Amino acid sequence: MPRVAIKKKEYMVADLPGWIVGRMHTMKLRQEDVAKELNITPQAFSKRLQKDDRGRPKDVFRYGDLLTIFKVLEATDEEKLRLLSL
């Protein structure tokens, strides 16, 4: 089923954890590596990546956390704009 504009915000919020996991895999980073940069435990980072039964993140990243994640995962300006534009 195609994504519709009405639910764009929900889909984009759900896309962020997928992008993070995919980029970590590409860069051969572990959750422990990124969690260390965020000064949180690997368990806390893992919880923020998990989704509830409706496909939405269980916990959210703060803006400062996102900036750190983008720096560690070397996000391009286009990726930042796409992931932060709700």
Side-chain angles (χ1 to χ4, degrees), residues 17-79:
W19 178 86
I20 292 170
V21 171
R23 182 55 67 97
M24 285 172 42
H25 179 73
T26 301
M27 296 181 72
K28 297 182 177 25
L29 293 173
R30 299 171 302 150
Q31 288 184 5
E32 293 84 7
D33 302 326
V34 180
K36 183 178 178 182
E37 292 293 325
L38 294 171
N39 294 320
I40 61 175
T41 65
Q43 294 83 0
F45 183 68
S46 176
K47 183 179 177 189
R48 291 180 185 186
L49 293 176
Q50 292 175 0
K51 298 178 184 176
D52 63 15
D53 35 336
R54 295 177 71 184
R56 296 179 298 192
K58 287 184 177 180
D59 201 354
V60 295
F61 291 101
R62 295 183 319 222
Y63 183 72
D65 295 339
L66 290 174
L67 294 178
T68 302
I69 290 169
F70 290 154
K71 181 179 177 185
V72 170
L73 299 180
E74 301 172 1
T76 64
D77 289 338
E78 292 81 22
E79 289 171 325

